[in-house]
Structure formats: C-alpha cells, structure tokens
Amino acid sequence: MENLRSLLPSVNSLVVFEAAGRLSSFTGAARELRMTQAAVSYAVHRLEAHLGTALFLREHRRVRLSEAGARFHADVSIGLQHIQRSAQDLRAVATGGHVTLSCSTAFAAFWMVPRMAELRADLPEIDLRIQTADRDLDLVGEGIPLAIRGGDPGDWPQYLSAPLAAEEIYPVCGAGYLAGRDRPRLAADLLEHQLIHLEEPHRSAATWRDWFASAGIEGRRVPKGLQINDYVLVVQSVIAGQGIALGWRHLVEGLVDQGVLVRLSDHALSTGLQFHVIWPRNATLSRAALEVRDWLLAQPRD
C-alpha cells in the first residue's frame, strides 16, 4: 500500500474535505469545524495538490464536488464514520457511564417505567437513556449497545441475544368496562363485544384472529371494531372503557395486578416466541452496558 503520509497532507484535511463536501460550502464547513473560511480553503487546496485533481467546482457563492471529488467523498465519509464509531466504542468501554436501550414505546411505558426506581437503586452510577422507535433499529449503525426485540433470534445473525419474556397473549378490558355488561364466559362470547385491534405498521404482531384460532374458534368473522397503530394508545383506550384488546402478558400483567385492567379469559395464546435483550455480536459492551443487560435479564418473569 502506498504510504499514506506521502499521499495525504493530514487526517485533518480529510475531515475538512468531508464537511465541505457534505455541506457544499467552505463557509459552512468552517462554521461547523470552528475554523476560518481561509483555513478550510487552504486545507482543501493542499489536498487537491497532493491528489493532483480538482475535488470541487468553484461557482459563484458556492462550491460543489467534482465527479472525482464525489467518488473520493463517498469513500472518505465511510472511512471517517468507521473511525468515529470505533473511537466512540473504545471510549464507552473505558469510561462506562450512560447506556442507551432501544425498545418500543409500549415496552418503555409498561415494562421499563414501573421498574425505573428499582433500576436507579440497583445501578445508581448508570445513566440509562431509553430510545423508543416504531421499528427495529440497526444497533451498529445507530451506535446503540442494547435493545429489546421480539421474535426468532435466528432472524438476527448480527446480534447476540438472551430471552427476557415469553410471548403470551390474553384479552383484557378496563376495570369499569363490565359495569352493566355480562362478563364473557367463553371465548366465543368475546365476538359480541367491541374489540380493539392493534394495527402494527412495522413489526409483526398477533391478531384477534390468531387468538380466536388458538382458542378453537376458526372460520368466524372477527368484528373489526376500533383499529389503532400504537399499543400504548390501545391500552389507554381499554382503560378508558372503549372495548376489549389483546394484552401481552409481560406488558399488562402489572396493570392487571393493580386492578386497572381485567383479564377476561384463562386461555392465553402462546406463540412459542420470546422477547429478547439483544446486543451487536461484534461489539464490546461497556461495563455499564453489561450491568444494564444483566439487570434486565435478572428481573422476575412471573
């Protein structure tokens, strides 16, 4: 490999070039990097001289990458991103401190929030940051060490995982819903009630049809009822007495124990899948991330 020290004037020139190309502006790059515009222009000129080609087309009041500059910029951007991510990972391992956990809004609201006081008491030195998303994130690309994900670990070969909770689902209603109504005795009785449906836009989720089929009721039209694409809103609607919804045990059992929700059937749909704590297979977790992972997995499951 040709000696990089003779090919490039400095790593700083690549940082300046990346910013100028991304922003299409020497002035913008100077502002972002806290340099003078003249210093940015000089760094770019030196880089162009070393490479023997123009990287930018200078136009009135703006610059833009040349064809050669665009090709070089793509490679430089990827290289600098990898260096930045690696440096961040090393610093995180060395210093510990904060830990980011990616999960659904429902898991954050119904599983994590009720346990936050206990987590702070058990891990007082750790600053946990919960990042919710309506879809499963790329942990490596986002720089996130831990996440909660439901499904089959075989579908995520880039991650290691440990089971957190089995997927068990049963119908629930709000504490006041049954006032003036007959309590359903059989699974089929639920077909006569207002059902609330989770219309999950990005993740796969069991449906009322799945639950009825697991109870031996197939070939019947399941009433559409109210359809909501966010499980937190589903549960809030149930609490408000708007109808009956499917309750994922690990999320709603606390509300059932408190009497906020009422379980309406002894039958539960067990999908055979589990919710897992996952982390990147090829990443080194910081001490703090390891402690958070182990704390999550140590929580009672019943």
Side-chain angles (χ1 to χ4, degrees):
M1 178 181 293
E2 188 174 353
N3 191 321
L4 285 177
R5 293 189 64 182
S6 64
L7 185 62
L8 302 174
S10 69
V11 173
N12 181 64
S13 67
L14 297 181
V15 174
V16 172
F17 168 66
E18 187 281 328
R22 172 166 43 83
L23 299 172
S24 295
S25 170
F26 288 179
T27 302
R31 187 180 303 114
E32 179 178 294
L33 299 174
R34 298 182 181 180
M35 302 169 62
T36 65
Q37 193 272 347
V40 169
S41 180
Y42 176 71
V44 171
H45 276 297
R46 285 193 66 199
L47 183 60
E48 290 177 319
H50 274 76
L51 295 176
T53 189
L55 299 175
F56 288 93
L57 301 176
R58 278 76 169 173
E59 300 176 346
H60 181 63
R61 293 180 176 267
R62 69 186 294 264
V63 295
R64 61 185 177 90
L65 290 165
S66 65
E67 182 178 347
R71 292 197 305 269
F72 188 54
H73 190 270
D75 290 335
V76 168
S77 298
I78 293 172
L80 290 178
Q81 286 171 5
H82 281 299
I83 293 170
Q84 180 185 36
R85 188 175 302 124
S86 182
Q88 289 172 337
D89 289 344
L90 289 172
R91 185 165 57 185
V93 171
T95 62
H98 77 266
V99 177
T100 300
L101 174 69
S102 172
C103 61
S104 68
T105 304
F107 186 87
F110 301 129
W111 199 97
M112 283 302 307
V113 169
R115 293 171 171 81
M116 285 305 297
E118 184 178 352
L119 183 144
R120 285 193 293 267
D122 292 342
L123 304 175
E125 303 298 322
I126 294 176
D127 173 22
L128 180 65
R129 302 177 184 179
I130 299 175
Q131 181 169 326
T132 61
D134 61 0
R135 67 190 70 202
D136 295 329
L137 300 180
D138 174 6
L139 300 190
V140 175
E142 297 289 338
I144 297 173
L146 298 172
I148 306 298
R149 185 170 296 184
D152 181 358
D155 294 334
W156 327 310
Q158 69 274 41
Y159 300 117
L160 297 174
S161 66
L164 179 71
E167 186 173 38
E168 298 179 17
I169 306 165
Y170 50 75
V172 292
C173 70
Y177 177 79
L178 294 176
R181 294 185 175 92
D182 294 331
R183 182 179 181 123
R185 294 184 303 104
L186 304 173
D189 294 339
L190 292 170
L191 292 166
E192 306 303 319
H193 287 259
Q194 173 76 12
L195 302 183
I196 300 176
H197 301 259
L198 173 63
E199 295 289 327
E200 177 59 67
H202 299 294
R203 298 182 177 98
S204 176
T207 66
W208 271 111
R209 185 175 297 279
D210 297 325
W211 186 86
F212 280 116
S214 72
I217 302 173
E218 299 189 66
R220 297 280 295 276
R221 179 182 174 87
V222 178
K224 269 295 183 185
L226 180 61
Q227 301 176 59
I228 303 176
N229 68 354
D230 183 281
Y231 193 62
V232 172
L233 296 180
V234 168
V235 173
Q236 289 176 341
S237 297
V238 171
I239 293 173
Q242 298 301 312
I244 300 171
L246 294 174
W248 272 255
R249 179 185 176 186
H250 70 290
L251 298 181
V252 303
E253 62 183 342
L255 296 174
V256 172
D257 292 342
Q258 297 167 27
V260 177
L261 296 178
V262 177
R263 179 172 177 170
L264 289 177
S265 174
D266 291 333
H267 173 70
L269 165 59
S270 296
T271 65
L273 299 175
Q274 302 213 46
F275 291 86
H276 302 259
V277 181
I278 68 169
W279 59 97
R281 180 177 295 276
N282 296 321
T284 301
L285 293 182
S286 68
R287 173 193 55 80
L290 289 170
E291 291 185 4
V292 171
R293 182 199 65 185
D294 294 346
W295 185 90
L296 291 168
L297 296 173
Q299 297 307 296
R301 304 190 186 186
D302 295 319

